[in-house]
Amino acid sequence: QAKQGGKRRYVFYANEMSKDALQFLRMDAALRRALERREFHLVYQPQVNIASGRIIGFEALLRWQPPGEAVIAPDQFIGLAEETGLIVQIGEWVLETACRQLVAWQRAGLCPQDIKMSVNLSATQFRQDDMVATVQRVLATTQCPPHCLVLEITESVIMDSPESTVQILNALSAFGVQLAIDDFGTGYSSLSYLKRFPIHTLKIDRSFIRDISIDGNDAEIVKAVIALAHAMNRNIVAEGVEDSVQLDFLRDHGCDQAQGYFFGKGIAPEEAAALLSRQQLPLHSVRVA
Ligand code: C2E
Ligand code: MG
Ligand code: MG
Ligand code: MG
C-alpha cells in the first residue's frame, strides 16, 4: 500500500518535471520558428527632452505576434531565449531592424541626426565574443551613423565581469556608439565603475519614478541620481513617466530626458514617423505657462 503510494508520488513528480521540460522545448521550438517566420516586430517608444518637449530618440522594444494570437511581451520569452542562447540571433535581428528603421526615417527627412535609437542588449548577447564585431557589421550594412545608436545594458551585466566589460564598452565607444545603463538603481553598480566606464546615460528605473510625489525616499533617490549623473557629465533619462506631476518633479530637479506612457507607449513605425513629422507631442504633455 505504502509502496504504491510512493510509486504514485514518483509518477506524479516525473510528470511534473517532464511537463516543465516539454514546455521549455516547445517554447524554444516556437521561438526558433518565430524567427524564421518573421513573427517578431519592434515597437518604438519615444524619449523626450523635458525642457523642450521634443523627441530626442526612441527605444526599440521587441514584440512577438504568433499568428492568430495576442501579442506577447518580451518579459514572457526573453528569459528563455537567454537560456537557450537564441537571444543572440533574436538580438541581432532587433539591432539590425532598429538601425534600418532609423536610417529609413533619416533618409525620408523625418529625423535629424541627433535623434537616437536605443536598443536593449541582454547579458548573453553582451558576452558573445563577436559582439563588438556584430554591432560594427550591423552599423555598416544598415549605414546607421554610430553616434545615433544607444546600447542599453543593465548594472548586472557590468558588474558580472567589470574588467572585460570596460574593454567591450571602450571598444564600442571608440567607434562612436553610446552606452546607457538601463533600470539604474535596481542592481548593484559600484560608483567607481561608473566613473571609469564610458557610460553616456543613466536610465533611472521606473520603480523610483512611480511614487516620486508621495514617497519621500524615492524623491530623494531620484534627486541624488540626477545630481550624480550631472556631476559626472552623464545624461539622465527617467523611465516610466506616467503623469504630469511626475514630469513636473523631474523638470524642477533638472532631469534631462524622460520616457513613459505619459508621452506614449511603444508604437508602430508608421505612427512613430507621423510623430516625428509633427515633431510635437500630444498637447497634454506640453506645459502651459
Ligand atoms: P526596459 O528596457 O526597461 O524597457 C522599458 C519597459 O517599460 C517596456 O516594457 C516599456 O513598454 C515599459 N514602459 C515604458 N514606459 C512605461 C510607463 O510609463 N509605465 C509602465 N508601467 N511601463 C512602461 P516591455 O516592452 O514589455 O519590455 C520589458 C523589458 O524587456 C525591457 O525593459 C527590456 O529589458 C526587455 N526587452 C525589450 N525589448 C528587448 C530586446 O529587443 N532585447 C532584449 N534583450 N531585451 C528586450
Ligand atoms: Mg531598455
Ligand atoms: Mg528600462
Ligand atoms: Mg525595465
Side-chain angles (χ1 to χ4, degrees):
Q1 189 73 18
K3 208 175 169 185
Q4 220 180 20
K7 196 172 181 187
R8 219 178 274 131
R9 209 154 39 239
Y10 170 75
V11 169
F12 172 74
Y13 284 128
N15 281 343
E16 282 300 291
M17 276 162 55
S18 62
K19 221 165 101 190
D20 281 358
L22 230 102
Q23 179 79 4
F24 184 92
L25 292 176
R26 276 204 197 112
M27 185 78 167
D28 181 44
L31 280 173
R32 281 172 202 282
R33 263 199 319 273
L35 201 54
E36 283 163 25
R37 297 180 187 175
R38 302 170 181 273
E39 292 170 8
F40 293 114
H41 66 272
L42 298 180
V43 294
Y44 300 91
Q45 186 176 34
Q47 301 177 319
V48 305
N49 175 302
I50 294 182
S52 68
R54 292 178 75 84
I55 295 171
I56 45 106
F58 291 92
E59 179 174 359
L61 297 166
L62 183 60
R63 298 291 180 263
W64 177 18
Q65 167 104 65
E69 284 177 51
V71 174
I72 304 175
D75 291 331
Q76 305 292 310
F77 60 86
I78 291 276
L80 187 128
E82 276 257 304
E83 268 184 75
T84 63
L86 195 63
I87 191 65
V88 175
Q89 281 154 272
I90 297 176
E92 193 172 333
W93 178 86
V94 170
L95 187 65
E96 188 169 334
T97 304
C99 288
R100 213 177 277 293
Q101 183 61 72
L102 187 72
V103 171
W105 287 334
Q106 286 175 344
R107 293 194 176 149
L110 286 171
C111 69
Q113 296 244 333
D114 57 351
I115 289 187
K116 299 188 189 306
M117 180 64 77
S118 294
V119 173
N120 294 285
L121 284 193
S122 75
T124 309
Q125 244 181 309
F126 189 81
R127 293 287 164 213
Q128 294 298 302
D129 288 336
D130 58 354
M131 198 274 293
V132 175
T134 299
V135 172
Q136 240 167 338
R137 189 183 64 241
V138 169
L139 288 172
T141 52
T142 60
Q143 296 189 291
C144 179
H147 71 272
C148 294
L149 177 64
V150 181
L151 297 176
E152 298 192 359
I153 55 173
T154 59
E155 289 167 281
S156 56
V157 169
I158 289 183
M159 296 310 292
D160 192 30
S161 170
E163 289 318 313
S164 66
T165 300
V166 73
Q167 287 177 21
I168 299 170
L169 296 186
N170 281 335
L172 289 169
S173 172
F175 59 88
V177 170
Q178 296 209 346
L179 300 153
I181 303 192
D182 205 355
D183 305 337
F184 186 75
T186 57
Y188 308 89
S189 50
S190 151
L191 296 181
S192 70
Y193 289 128
L194 274 190
K195 192 180 80 177
R196 280 175 45 215
F197 286 20
I199 301 287
H200 301 80
T201 299
L202 303 184
K203 297 189 74 179
I204 185 157
D205 191 65
R206 74 163 185 267
S207 60
F208 301 108
I209 307 298
R210 192 178 47 229
D211 299 327
I212 208 172
S213 53
I214 46 175
D215 184 323
N217 289 328
D218 284 341
E220 289 308 318
I221 290 170
V222 171
K223 284 198 268 181
V225 174
I226 294 170
L228 174 76
H230 285 165
M232 293 171 58
N233 243 325
R234 307 295 199 267
N235 256 340
I236 177 105
V237 180
E239 293 189 321
V241 176
E242 294 185 353
D243 60 49
S244 63
V245 180
Q246 294 165 341
L247 181 63
D248 285 342
F249 179 99
L250 292 163
R251 182 192 289 104
D252 292 344
H253 293 92
C255 182
D256 308 304
Q257 299 164 2
Q259 179 179 344
Y261 293 168
F262 186 60
F263 302 100
K265 296 189 174 184
I267 49 178
E270 309 77 53
E271 281 179 84
L275 206 58
L276 277 170
S277 69
R278 292 201 302 276
Q279 202 16 301
Q280 68 180 28
L281 295 157
L283 267 181
H284 69 266
S285 60
V286 177
R287 189 188 222 184
V288 191

